Amino acid sequence: MSSMGLPAAENLLETKEINERTYSLDGKAQHHHIHKVGIPPKQNLFKEFKATIKEAFFADEPLRHFKDQTKLRKLVLGIEAIFPILSWCRNYNLKKFRGDIISGLTIASLCIPQDIGYAKLAHLDPQYGLYSSFVPPLIYAIMGSSRDIAIGPVAVVSLLLGTLLSDEIDPNKHPEEYRRLAFTATFFAGITQATLGICRLGFLIDFLSHAAIVGFMGGAAITIALQQLKGFLGIRTKNFTTKTDIVSVMKSIFETAHHGWNWQTILIGASFLGFLLVAKFIGKKNKKYFWVPAIAPLISVVLSTFFVFITRADKHGVDIVRHIERGINPSSVDKIYFSGEYLSKGFKIGVVAGMVALTEAVAIGRTFATMKDYQLDGNKEMVALGAMNVVGSMTSCYVATGSFSRSAVNFMAGCQTAVSNIVMSIVVVLTLFFLTPLFNYTPNAILASIIISAVISLIDFEAAILIWKIDKFDFIACMGAFFGVVFISVEIGLLIAVSISFAKILLQVTRPRTAILGKIPMTYVYRNTQQYPEATKVPGVLIVRVDSAIYFSNSNYVKERILRWLVDEEEQIKGDYQTKIQFLIVEMSPVTDIDTSGINALEELYRSLKKKSIELVLANPGPVVIDKLYTSNFANLIGVDNIFLTVADAVAYCSPKMAEDP
């Protein structure tokens, strides 16, 4: 075979022909044409860096709409990009408004009782839950791009915020300082979310895997339900644990069993919990009755409040809400900590709460966008969510985000645009002005029942079973997050979820898969022999595929794994008296990149093979890889004759050479 040591600048499409004859599938002799691997032209360093940055942060080409537009049009498009409402409102009509007003009223009936309950989860007065369903949804309606997300406080974030804040300040002893820290955390949650969106770093939230989220949500649901047992059972003791783990909560509950439980409270809570679960079952069984579980919480609040009022059950030990502040959100700009010891604490809590809230909102938005077949800009969503929480922190709100339950009801009720959030906000503000006195006699047990019935749906058994079937490591991440939340704390569960997700990434990067390839009968196709048992190995040739980029983190492992494949194959050959291995072909199609450590590993592999009189051959290295192989002079080291476009070409080259050997 003639030498292929041609300079890179020569015609890369030149072909060479092997004089030895190979055979087609029908057995007729024919010449096999072998193509050289193309070497991409050298890139300008600045252009290459620019292309890399563009692909990392601007893969969706956010400025493509601005091309070839006038300055005025670019200004209009820029304003519409920040405030999407200006874009879609031009096509708004009465039909869409009808759908939005129905869905807005429906989610308002669901959110009002939930907000009062979720505020208690965050250890805040009930009105702060309502405040958080007034201002943030209005800001989101102006800046958000999802048509279906219903904005407001959610159970998981409320619990997380309440747990982290109460670790720093006792909400009962220092309520004013506690509220200030809550507003500070909300401010920094918004700053975190907006920064991720502006800097286009939304991919960071993808490091929290789906499996970890399923486990975290399930654990949080159980923790939230356990926390509600105090109100559900009518326990009034001040010594009830502030910890969230199942052992501490159950211990406190049983310690108060003889003197702390109130049977009237249990009767109210159990009756209405049963009603709520039946309503949820009806809605799940028949989608036409989606409104039944949506209005059931409000009906429960009205009936239980009326019952307590006429029977004066509060005189017999039934805890009630008592007082909710009337009026619109007061300003809280002067209450945010911008200095002092609580600044750093508020920042840390805000970052954690902001990331969790963002993960939930983006997951919801993507789900409904897929169902309605429209595109959702994740970075715009982050900016919108961040802006609404920053503004919210200045108007006495705590962290708000997209709610799974409310968004599902919003979708089922036929929402068309974000106007449904505006309708909900109007209902909430009317409630704050005129209806708050009606909640004075609302029993805490009914709020506990509403929260318990709401969080049950966060425990996704089907998803956990599917995760077990698909990926056992994912299941470990899921269960790690679940048990971490249930048995230790919410923040530890979250840390475990993130840690296991990162561990999975590191394991996949440092221990990439490799495979032995064989020839599929009657074809020139070479595939994994484990996946295709009928694939036959080529005598005297070992074909290995590396299924990953080769970096400093895995280069040594890749080299050693290939050598182990070689040792295993040689031992098998000795037993079967087959042809000795003379060629090692490395299939490099999946190798998207290689660094200097990877090239050093290939050089060490080459030297190890040379001592064994085995020739190293490469098949189909990609453009980035082949460029680096030539730049590092590795291509010349092994011989450019030993680099082929396909495995079939490499085998065609090796077979005649084996025939020449004595």
Side-chain angles (χ1 to χ4, degrees), residues 300-362:
S300 301
V301 168
V302 172
L303 292 177
S304 62
T305 303
F306 180 70
F307 174 76
V308 170
F309 178 72
I310 61 170
T311 62
R312 294 315 305 262
D314 56 306
K315 302 290 186 184
H316 301 282
V318 174
D319 267 339
I320 56 175
V321 172
R322 296 193 188 280
H323 178 66
I324 300 178
E325 289 282 345
R326 293 181 69 170
I328 203 167
N329 306 32
S331 172
S332 55
V333 178
D334 59 329
K335 295 180 180 177
I336 298 172
Y337 287 112
F338 290 112
S339 61
E341 62 173 314
Y342 290 124
L343 173 61
S344 60
K345 292 175 181 177
F347 174 76
K348 284 185 264 188
I349 295 169
V351 169
V352 174
M355 293 290 278
V356 173
L358 200 57
T359 303
E360 186 167 351
V362 171

Side-chain angles (χ1 to χ4, degrees), residues 195-233:
T195 302
L196 289 174
I198 293 167
C199 298
R200 305 188 69 79
L201 297 173
F203 59 85
L204 292 177
I205 64 171
D206 293 332
F207 281 107
L208 197 59
S209 67
H210 171 70
I213 291 170
V214 168
F216 175 74
M217 289 290 192
I222 289 176
T223 301
I224 291 165
L226 288 172
Q227 290 276 306
Q228 298 313 301
L229 289 178
K230 181 182 178 184
F232 189 86
L233 300 172

Side-chain angles (χ1 to χ4, degrees), residues 144-203:
S145 54
S146 173
R147 305 171 195 166
D148 306 282
I149 287 182
I151 297 295
V154 297
V156 174
V157 177
S158 298
L159 173 70
L160 179 64
L161 205 59
T163 304
L164 296 177
L165 292 172
S166 58
D167 286 343
E168 303 295 339
I169 301 175
D170 189 323
N172 297 314
K173 293 180 181 177
H174 308 286
E176 179 62 29
E177 288 81 358
Y178 182 87
R179 281 194 294 272
R180 291 189 65 184
L181 188 59
F183 299 146
T184 305
T186 302
F187 176 80
F188 284 112
I191 293 293
T192 301
Q193 293 168 336
T195 302
L196 289 174
I198 293 167
C199 298
R200 305 188 69 79
L201 297 173
F203 59 85

Side-chain angles (χ1 to χ4, degrees), residues 37 167 253 296 313 397 541 575 632:
V37 174
D167 286 343
I253 287 169
C397 303
V541 180
S632 65

Side-chain angles (χ1 to χ4, degrees), residues 76-391:
V76 172
L77 289 172
I79 295 170
E80 287 180 353
I82 299 171
F83 305 108
I85 191 171
L86 299 175
S87 175
W88 55 259
C89 72
R90 290 197 295 267
N91 301 317
Y92 200 69
N93 54 42
L94 192 61
K95 183 181 178 183
K96 289 182 179 179
F97 181 65
R98 188 164 59 245
D100 285 336
I101 199 165
I102 292 169
S103 54
L105 291 170
T106 308
I107 57 175
S109 68
L110 175 63
C111 87
I112 291 167
Q114 281 188 347
D115 289 346
I116 296 170
Y118 292 158
K120 291 178 74 65
L121 269 182
H123 305 306
L124 292 166
D125 293 332
Q127 64 268 18
Y128 292 101
L130 295 171
Y131 293 160
S132 302
S133 277
F134 169 45
V135 174
L138 289 178
I139 303 297
Y140 182 83
I142 296 168
M143 299 184 68
S145 54
S146 173
R147 305 171 195 166
D148 306 282
I149 287 182
I151 297 295
V154 297
V156 174
V157 177
S158 298
L159 173 70
L160 179 64
L161 205 59
T163 304
L164 296 177
L165 292 172
S166 58
D167 286 343
E168 303 295 339
I169 301 175
D170 189 323
N172 297 314
K173 293 180 181 177
H174 308 286
E176 179 62 29
E177 288 81 358
Y178 182 87
R179 281 194 294 272
R180 291 189 65 184
L181 188 59
F183 299 146
T184 305
T186 302
F187 176 80
F188 284 112
I191 293 293
T192 301
Q193 293 168 336
T195 302
L196 289 174
I198 293 167
C199 298
R200 305 188 69 79
L201 297 173
F203 59 85
L204 292 177
I205 64 171
D206 293 332
F207 281 107
L208 197 59
S209 67
H210 171 70
I213 291 170
V214 168
F216 175 74
M217 289 290 192
I222 289 176
T223 301
I224 291 165
L226 288 172
Q227 290 276 306
Q228 298 313 301
L229 289 178
K230 181 182 178 184
F232 189 86
L233 300 172
I235 299 171
R236 287 183 137 180
T237 177
K238 292 182 180 179
N239 297 324
F240 195 86
T241 183
T242 55
K243 295 180 180 178
T244 59
D245 64 283
I246 188 170
V247 176
S248 299
V249 174
M250 295 308 294
K251 185 180 177 183
S252 283
I253 287 169
F254 287 118
E255 283 176 352
T256 59
H258 297 297
H259 57 84
W261 294 11
N262 182 275
W263 70 266
Q264 294 98 328
T265 302
I266 296 171
L267 180 63
I268 293 169
S271 302
F272 283 101
L273 178 60
F275 168 68
L276 291 166
L277 293 176
V278 169
K280 185 170 279 193
F281 177 78
I282 292 169
K284 199 171 184 180
K285 202 75 175 172
N286 193 329
K287 299 296 183 186
K288 287 192 298 183
Y289 298 119
F290 69 89
W291 52 270
V292 174
I295 66 167
L298 191 60
I299 292 172
S300 301
V301 168
V302 172
L303 292 177
S304 62
T305 303
F306 180 70
F307 174 76
V308 170
F309 178 72
I310 61 170
T311 62
R312 294 315 305 262
D314 56 306
K315 302 290 186 184
H316 301 282
V318 174
D319 267 339
I320 56 175
V321 172
R322 296 193 188 280
H323 178 66
I324 300 178
E325 289 282 345
R326 293 181 69 170
I328 203 167
N329 306 32
S331 172
S332 55
V333 178
D334 59 329
K335 295 180 180 177
I336 298 172
Y337 287 112
F338 290 112
S339 61
E341 62 173 314
Y342 290 124
L343 173 61
S344 60
K345 292 175 181 177
F347 174 76
K348 284 185 264 188
I349 295 169
V351 169
V352 174
M355 293 290 278
V356 173
L358 200 57
T359 303
E360 186 167 351
V362 171
I364 296 167
R366 286 174 179 170
T367 300
F368 290 109
T370 302
M371 290 170 72
K372 284 193 174 179
D373 194 26
Y374 66 89
Q375 295 298 315
L376 195 70
D377 189 326
N379 290 296
K380 278 186 185 177
E381 284 296 284
M382 291 172 201
V383 173
L385 292 163
M388 77 179 193
N389 278 315
V390 168
V391 176

